[in-house]
Amino acid sequence: MTEQGKKSLSNAEKQQRYRDRQKQSGRKELRGYLTPEALICYEEIQAKTQWNDSLLLSNAIRLMYAAHKLGQIGLLNGWLNDHKK
C-alpha cells in the first residue's frame, strides 16, 4: 500500500495505541487530584528535579513504600502535618 493509501490515525486512536504499549510494558496509569498543599510540594519537587509526572509519581510511591517498610510513615506524616504540607 502506498503512503497515500494509508489511513491516518485519529488522536483517540494514537492515544489508545500509546496506552496499550504502556500496559504491555507493565506500566499502570494512575490518576487523581492534588490538594493545594500537595500541589505546592509537587511544584517544588518538579522544579528541583525536572522529573516528569510519571517519574515523580513512581518515585514518590517507591519512597513512601520504603518509609512504610522502615516504619517511618507516622514520623513523616507527623512532619507534614506540623509543617502544613
Side-chain angles (χ1 to χ4, degrees), residues 43-79:
E43 290 168 345
E44 186 176 330
I45 295 291
Q46 200 282 327
K48 288 181 180 179
T49 63
Q50 299 299 305
W51 290 343
N52 63 30
D53 287 354
S54 293
L55 189 55
L56 202 146
L57 181 59
S58 291
N59 286 337
I61 289 173
R62 293 173 63 233
L63 288 167
M64 187 170 43
Y65 179 78
H68 160 69
K69 290 306 246 182
L70 294 171
Q72 300 300 313
I73 289 288
L75 176 72
L76 294 175
N77 197 43
W79 185 92

Side-chain angles (χ1 to χ4, degrees), residues 1-28:
M1 189 178 280
T2 65
E3 274 195 45
Q4 290 176 332
K6 288 184 179 178
K7 179 186 167 209
S8 295
L9 295 176
S10 70
N11 282 340
E13 291 169 321
K14 290 176 185 176
Q15 290 171 0
Q16 185 60 49
R17 286 177 57 183
Y18 175 78
R19 287 191 298 271
D20 290 343
R21 283 194 309 270
Q22 296 303 312
K23 285 179 187 175
Q24 288 173 354
S25 68
R27 295 181 178 188
K28 176 174 177 52

